[in-house]
Amino acid sequence: MAEQHPIASPASPPLEDKYDPFEEFNRVQGRSGVRNPYPQFEELRTRCPVQKIDMRQLLGNEVPIPPEVVLEVYAALTHEAASEVLRDPHRFTSRGYSMSMGQVFGHSILEMDPPEHTRYRALLQHAFTKRALDRWERELVGPVVHGLIDRFIERGRADLIPELTFPFPVAVIAGMIGVPKDQHENFHRWAVELISVTFARERGMAASGKLRNLFSEILSDRRKQPRDDITSVLAHAEIDGSKLSDDDIFAFLRLLAPAGAETTYRSSSNLLFALLTHASQFEALREDRSLIPQAIDEGLRWECPLTGIMRIATGETEVAGTSLPAGALVNVNLGAANHDDTRYEDPDRFDIFRPRKQHLAFASGPHTCLGMHLALMETRVVLEAVLDRLPNLRLDPAASDLHIGGVIFRAPATLPVQFDAGKVRA
Ligand code: HEM
């Protein structure tokens, strides 16, 4: 049976329209208050690889914490401890997401454990094959990125966050799902409202219902007339001989909305910030494009857009010498693990030339980001476009106090630049 979303019904009272979900989300993430959580991560990590902490130690006083949030968690802070937790879904379940994001996504792969997770994931992977990604790069990602650059290229100056990195990933994921252009803005807003459910529950639930209505229209159209988009793949996919239910499809699409938009916007913003504030490395990249993959990887390690994810211990267990009781909530601290000084020399330094070692920005184990190759391709396309089309790109000398902010989701708010004005691409 289909899900009910009473809050989204037409009879519901309208929500006040001055609300800016993007601002609110960033405020709650502590973007203006928390600039650099890494010294705090380091202090904890040096004390013990896995330890019981109060979430307020990580979030600081700036971030409002809803009363229902469990504050006592076990933080896994080293690369080894975080990897051990992520690679063992039998000892560390993802079911806990059903109480947070599951309320608004529905039952998605994010909250599944094997063997259910394995079956669904194998099927959903069909939407992200190498062949499909090559086509999306040509037909969607390239045109979206260049279209945005066209809008400011003659000006010789721009703010790369609102004008490029913020809008491009959402246009890409909306296009891949098959969301009509006139709904892209709503889609973006609802995607952020979904993941705001922990502090704005009613809005989160309402966004979930609105996305359901939007996806439902696209799905019924694709059932009749398949196209080359993710919804068509899901409409015709089968699991153990039967088709995915509508609710399965909606849950996956709802997960894709923020997963596809929020993280990639932040990682590409962080990378451009890193390059623009490390001029000699940017110059080296301009001279030698073969450095692009390692520059993207280093950006993700140095400033991962999502610094922490959660798991729950299924029974009494031990990680890196620390005992955890059954039911313990584990904060897998990807940010701390990516700055583990036993793995990376001088870990707080951005260095595209450091030896490449697998980082945890995309997690690890069975839930390793399903959109990883898409995100890497999108970041490469945006970086190549910036290098090709914005000669002599540099920070606007009038800009002050530029920084990356936030605790769990991190990005700069603004990145004003100047460049030698070029021509709109033919
Ligand atoms: C740089 C950009 C990205 C980063 C850093 C990132 C990071 C992550 C992380 C850490 C997880 C694991 C969550 C957990 O297990 O708790 C994850 C899962 C996931 N991501 Fe991404 N992501 C990015 C881009 C994308 C994109 C572009 C998409 C899709 C269009 C996507 C789709 C997903 C999905 C569907 C999952 C769930 C996989 C599963 O549970 O098996 N992500 N991502």
Side-chain angles (χ1 to χ4, degrees), residues 97 110 117 121 173 259 263-264 267 305 311 361-362 367 369 371 374:
Y97 286 125
L110 189 70
H117 176 263
R121 174 136 176 158
I173 196 65
T263 46
T264 313
S267 63
R311 294 291 186 267
F362 291 113
H367 288 273
C369 177
L374 169 64

Side-chain angles (χ1 to χ4, degrees), residues 86 94 97 109-111 117 121 128 173 176 252 255-256 259-261 263-264 267 300 305-306 309-311 334 360-363 366-372 374-375 378-379:
L86 292 175
S94 291
Y97 286 125
I109 50 168
L110 189 70
E111 64 179 53
H117 176 263
R121 174 136 176 158
F128 295 90
I173 196 65
M176 287 175 74
F252 182 60
L255 162 63
L256 282 190
T263 46
T264 313
S267 63
L300 283 159
L306 173 62
I309 57 178
M310 299 303 286
R311 294 291 186 267
L334 308 174
L360 294 183
F362 291 113
H367 288 273
T368 298
C369 177
L370 184 64
M372 178 169 83
L374 169 64
E378 288 183 273
T379 315

Side-chain angles (χ1 to χ4, degrees), residues 100-368:
S100 52
M101 293 306 147
Q103 298 178 76
V104 283
F105 290 163
H107 186 53
S108 75
I109 50 168
L110 189 70
E111 64 179 53
M112 291 179 192
D113 290 325
E116 185 189 30
H117 176 263
T118 321
R119 281 187 292 128
Y120 274 84
R121 174 136 176 158
L123 194 144
L124 297 171
Q125 228 143 9
H126 288 305
F128 295 90
T129 58
K130 166 97 178 66
R131 210 166 127 246
L133 289 188
D134 287 346
R135 187 174 59 77
W136 289 124
E137 177 174 348
R138 273 193 319 276
E139 295 177 8
L140 183 64
V141 183
V144 163
V145 167
H146 286 284
L148 288 166
I149 293 179
D150 286 345
R151 292 190 197 166
F152 61 74
I153 193 161
E154 283 174 299
R155 221 189 296 144
R157 59 194 321 137
D159 186 339
L160 292 181
I161 309 295
E163 298 189 78
L164 183 60
T165 53
F166 181 66
F168 96 87
V170 73
V172 168
I173 196 65
M176 287 175 74
I177 290 174
V179 175
K181 279 235 166 66
D182 64 355
Q183 288 294 323
H184 279 200
E185 216 173 296
N186 279 334
F187 174 80
H188 198 180
R189 189 184 168 93
W190 297 334
V192 171
E193 288 183 348
L194 278 186
I195 51 172
S196 305
V197 66
T198 47
F199 63 89
R201 189 167 188 283
E202 192 179 334
R203 284 184 184 280
M205 298 302 287
S208 175
K210 289 173 194 164
L211 281 169
R212 180 187 200 288
N213 296 342
L214 174 66
F215 295 148
S216 170
E217 273 182 36
I218 305 170
L219 182 60
S220 66
D221 179 75
R222 302 308 193 267
R223 285 230 161 91
K224 286 180 242 140
Q225 276 183 313
R227 294 196 206 170
D228 268 341
D229 56 28
I230 294 184
T231 310
S232 304
V233 174
L234 300 179
H236 298 91
E238 289 191 358
I239 197 158
D240 299 337
S242 52
K243 290 223 167 8
L244 284 170
S245 73
D246 285 10
D247 286 349
D248 287 337
I249 295 176
F250 297 146
F252 182 60
L253 294 179
R254 285 200 199 93
L255 162 63
L256 282 190
E262 269 302 306
T263 46
T264 313
Y265 126 60
R266 290 169 191 276
S267 63
S268 52
S269 305
N270 293 348
L271 176 62
L272 289 173
F273 176 93
L275 292 169
L276 285 162
T277 52
H278 294 80
S280 62
Q281 295 186 52
F282 197 19
E283 197 44 47
L285 197 64
R286 265 196 255 268
E287 294 296 313
D288 180 1
R289 298 286 181 97
S290 73
L291 296 172
I292 286 180
Q294 68 201 63
I296 293 176
D297 244 17
E298 174 64 356
L300 283 159
R301 183 204 68 81
W302 182 66
E303 268 294 358
C304 55
L306 173 62
T307 61
I309 57 178
M310 299 303 286
R311 294 291 186 267
I312 294 177
T314 51
E316 204 178 303
T317 187
E318 193 188 298
V319 182
T322 300
S323 302
L324 280 71
L329 213 57
V330 184
N331 160 257
V332 185
N333 196 315
L334 308 174
N338 282 349
H339 284 231
D340 182 342
D341 60 359
T342 63
R343 186 174 173 87
Y344 304 101
E345 204 188 314
D346 196 1
D348 295 343
R349 195 184 70 229
F350 173 75
D351 179 2
I352 65 172
F353 298 105
R354 71 170 64 243
R356 280 174 91 177
K357 291 182 186 162
Q358 199 213 338
H359 56 71
L360 294 183
F362 291 113
S364 183
H367 288 273
T368 298

